[in-house]
Amino acid sequence: MKAKEFPQTVALLFFLICFAAVLTWILPAGEFDTQKVGNVTRVVAGTYHAVKQTPQGPFAVLNAVVIGFQRAAVLFAMVLFTGSAVHMMQKSGAVEVAFKSLTTGGKTANLGAIIFVIMAFMSVGGATGVFANPTVALIPIGMVVAKTMGLDAAAGFMMIYLGAYSGFNVGWANPSTLGVAHPIAELPVFSGMSVRFVFHAVNFVLNYLFVMRYIKGIQKNYTTSLCYYDGMAEADVMGDKLGGKMTGVQKFCMGTMILAIVAIMTGAVVAKWGNQQIAAIMFLAVILQGAAQKLGVNGTTKEFIEGCKPMLNAAFIIGFANGISVILKDGHILNTIVYYLSIPIGMFGPVVGAILMFWANLFINLFIPSGSGQAAAVMPLMVPLADLTGITRQVAVQAFQFGDGLSNCIVPTAGTIMGSLGIAGIAYNRYAKWFAPFLLLQSILASIALGVLQVAGWTGL
């Protein structure tokens, strides 16, 4: 590796697994007692205790990678099958033709309006908890849309992922975060919705402006693209604005994908579908599109495999990302990290304490990227701390939500962001450098908001 060359994303994640293993030799092992309340396993505050040290050696590191792949198997299949379904639609030429009429030659005003609508749709879905893991399934479609508008794959990623998470991260009706945190804090579920509506609107506008700033930059100079590498021609980075009239087959293929997306969203809300069901729907979309294009059994199989190939990098990233949490859990230091982060919060007044709660959760999300998992782990600690320091419970919940949510767009341990970046062909180090200033801005605004809410004594009731 060259002196100034940054490790590839998979290599970076493996180094983080190794680092986590080193921590198991340094940090004391500890656990909290837990209790089952309904479907939620809660941590019992004040029960942290030392357990036998279980340092993770070299073989445990290698084993963690395998277990990470095992745990991500269904998500792995979903990513591959989605890539294949989108590949089949691209092969028909449906999207390229359809979006020509919308972009009207790629004029900036029209692009801005289209991108606003797409991001707003994703954002509302994120705020209501519809889009979390399913967002990964939509990244390839966003890439195709972006390419037809003469943009790069990164723009497609941003429209879908940053659009969805601009809502999910501060969602006013998110069952996987607020739906878990509010009952633990003994508050009405989804209470304080009016304030969170404002947070959602502000966060969406900030994300939209941030994305449009990037798009205007690559339109002026394609070498500023996150997908650009030395020596690449503009045609290799930016898409072509193609035209034409849709054929019956193209209409069928696009209709199939639209119905697949509708089915996924409906299933996620009504039947609580997960990655397994999404993968099955996408596999069906592959079969139907292959039949419509008269590819035959062998032709459809060939294109199915061909469509999976570009997704392999993303799938590997997801598997390695899961390996980090395997080491932390097996080494029994996950709760230790949570415990020691909670101590300083109780040493300051309510306003500073509320802000520290946010920053602590921001850091904890690196180790517990699951929103519901983090809520179950930290809220039993944050609630008594809030009561002792005069922080309102609603502010404590919001501190958790900001901390868990805002970093969802950058933490390398989260399979959704790493998988999405892998699908779009964006190196994590380049993306993190680009996104970090925006996260800092969001974090400063979140800190100010929490301070104001605490001064106002916000209860959200």
Side-chain angles (χ1 to χ4, degrees), residues 40-213:
V40 178
T41 301
R42 295 184 181 176
V43 174
V44 180
T47 62
Y48 177 81
H49 57 278
V51 297
K52 182 180 179 181
Q53 202 76 16
T54 52
Q56 303 295 290
F59 186 75
V61 169
L62 299 175
N63 197 43
V65 175
V66 178
I67 295 174
F69 271 77
Q70 181 182 357
R71 292 182 180 177
V74 176
L75 181 57
F76 197 110
M78 187 269 284
V79 168
L80 293 179
F81 289 10
T82 298
S84 186
V86 173
H87 168 76
M88 295 292 282
M89 182 174 63
Q90 282 182 282
K91 183 177 175 61
S92 75
V95 177
E96 288 85 348
V97 175
F99 270 83
K100 174 62 178 178
S101 59
L102 292 177
T103 58
T104 317
K107 293 180 181 178
T108 303
N110 289 328
L111 286 182
I114 293 169
I115 292 168
F116 183 91
V117 171
I118 293 173
M119 290 188 67
F121 172 75
M122 296 300 301
S123 190
V124 172
T128 54
V130 175
F131 295 137
N133 287 341
T135 304
V136 182
L138 303 179
I139 297 297
I141 297 173
M143 290 166 57
V144 173
V145 171
K147 287 283 189 176
T148 64
M149 295 191 290
L151 305 175
D152 65 351
F157 155 80
M158 292 171 194
M159 285 188 287
I160 300 300
Y161 193 91
L162 297 186
Y165 277 81
S166 69
F168 184 90
N169 295 344
V170 291
W172 29 269
N174 191 334
S176 64
T177 52
L178 289 181
V180 177
H182 268 150
I184 295 175
E186 298 179 336
L187 294 170
V189 176
F190 304 144
S191 56
M193 187 176 288
S194 59
V195 172
R196 291 188 174 90
F197 270 136
V198 176
F199 290 154
H200 178 201
V202 171
N203 197 43
F204 168 73
V205 170
L206 288 174
N207 275 271
Y208 171 73
L209 294 176
F210 189 55
V211 171
M212 288 306 299
R213 180 172 176 267

Side-chain angles (χ1 to χ4, degrees), residues 45 78 86 94 99 154 167 172 180 214 235 257 274 281 287 322 364 367 403 438 442:
M78 187 269 284
V86 173
F99 270 83
W172 29 269
V180 177
Y214 171 82
M257 288 303 297
I281 290 294
I287 295 173
N322 279 342
I364 289 171
F367 304 96
F438 184 61
Q442 289 178 305

Side-chain angles (χ1 to χ4, degrees), residues 222-233:
Y222 78 94
T223 63
T224 61
S225 168
L226 293 177
C227 300
Y228 173 80
Y229 292 94
D230 290 341
M232 292 180 70

